[in-house]
Amino acid sequence: MATSILLLLLFIFNGADGSHIVGGRDAVTHSRPYMTSLQVRGRHNCGGALVRQDFVLTAAHCEISRPYTVVLGADSLTANEATKQEFTVVKSIPHPDYDGHGNDIMLLKLNGTAQLTDAVQLISLKRGRLSTSSQCITAGWGDVGDNGTLPKRLQEVNVTTLSQRGCIRRWRNVPITREMVCGIGAGALQGFCSGDSGGPLVCGGAAAGVVSFSGRRCGDPRTPDVYTRISSFRDWIASVLTNN
């Protein structure tokens, strides 16, 4: 239990510092047009995915007390790109059963409607359960070396999903539920760091997971990256979108 609490604190604390992809590569410019940057005073805090023109899907542990600025259509967060669109979050809707560990998913309502362009697009949600060893991708902005080195452009990394049994065995005392999906990179240190919170795990062109938590060392396959499994929450997502 002590180990679980420590790891939980680690990923929540790091989540305030920005996203981190280690062992990844530059994404082709605007090839991930669903990606969103959730910012506070111009600083990237969490990632997310545009699921409706006025709604972003992210992680519940990204919730903060002040409104986010949501940046769409970005490749570089520092460059002055004509493709960028900015909005303010007017309503945060975390899952009602989020307990600091499980059900780590949240929807954010924007103060306007995004204009769909080549650089800004919606992403569909994955239906059904992922098979073991599915080939997926996750992306984000931030620390590329687990040492404070920030990228100039959006980073992405390949992810292979694991069986739940295999993930449970590696994480040992940390609860891994059926509402979670685990993944590892191809190399020894490839994946996200805890601050990559809220970004999507994309499998077959659809969002299958939301970045939730990882271990003490970024991209370490001994503690696989853990995502919230989106298919487990499709009804809740549909309900929120319908009622808003």
Side-chain angles (χ1 to χ4, degrees):
M1 180 61 71
T3 301
S4 175
I5 293 173
L6 175 60
L7 289 166
L8 183 61
L9 291 174
L10 281 171
F11 85 77
I12 291 176
F13 178 78
N14 287 341
D17 290 335
S19 68
H20 308 256
I21 292 288
V22 293
R25 60 187 178 274
D26 288 351
V28 174
T29 302
H30 303 310
S31 62
R32 308 289 169 198
Y34 48 79
M35 287 295 299
T36 69
S37 171
L38 308 183
Q39 301 185 2
V40 179
R41 295 179 179 175
R43 183 178 178 181
H44 178 80
N45 189 64
C46 278
L50 191 66
V51 294
R52 201 172 78 178
Q53 285 173 267
D54 59 344
F55 262 97
V56 167
L57 183 67
T58 186
H61 78 264
C62 288
E63 187 176 25
I64 56 174
S65 59
R66 65 185 66 183
Y68 274 120
T69 295
V70 177
V71 179
L72 310 174
D75 180 35
S76 166
L77 295 182
T78 57
N80 185 20
E81 296 174 307
T83 55
K84 289 181 182 177
Q85 299 178 40
E86 291 192 7
F87 297 90
T88 301
V89 172
V90 294
K91 189 175 184 180
S92 300
I93 310 172
H95 193 276
D97 295 327
Y98 173 60
D99 58 5
H101 183 68
N103 308 300
D104 189 13
I105 192 167
M106 178 169 65
L107 284 160
L108 303 175
K109 183 171 176 58
L110 309 183
N111 68 333
T113 302
Q115 180 182 357
L116 299 184
T117 65
D118 288 343
V120 176
Q121 290 289 322
L122 308 181
I123 190 168
S124 60
L125 304 182
K126 187 76 172 177
R127 294 181 178 275
R129 297 188 69 83
L130 285 171
S131 59
T132 301
S133 300
S134 291
Q135 300 302 301
C136 309
I137 283 178
T138 194
W141 291 273
D143 189 341
V144 294
D146 198 10
N147 59 7
T149 303
L150 301 180
K152 295 182 179 179
R153 299 174 50 197
L154 179 68
Q155 299 291 295
E156 64 182 21
V157 66
N158 292 354
V159 176
T160 301
T161 61
L162 299 175
S163 68
Q164 187 181 33
R165 179 177 298 180
C167 190
I168 290 172
R169 184 171 61 248
R170 297 192 195 198
W171 269 102
R172 298 182 182 177
N173 297 325
V174 177
I176 303 296
T177 70
R178 295 178 63 84
E179 290 73 38
M180 300 173 182
V181 59
C182 301
I184 58 173
L189 294 175
Q190 286 188 323
F192 66 77
C193 277
S194 52
D196 207 8
S197 306
L201 174 70
V202 179
C203 308
V210 175
V211 171
S212 185
F213 65 94
S214 61
R216 186 184 299 272
R217 192 177 185 192
C218 299
D220 189 343
R222 293 175 297 181
T223 50
D225 293 342
V226 180
Y227 304 81
T228 302
R229 189 185 299 273
I230 288 176
S231 62
S232 298
F233 299 92
R234 284 186 62 92
D235 290 346
W236 174 77
I237 293 170
S239 175
V240 171
L241 296 182
T242 298
N243 293 322
N244 289 273

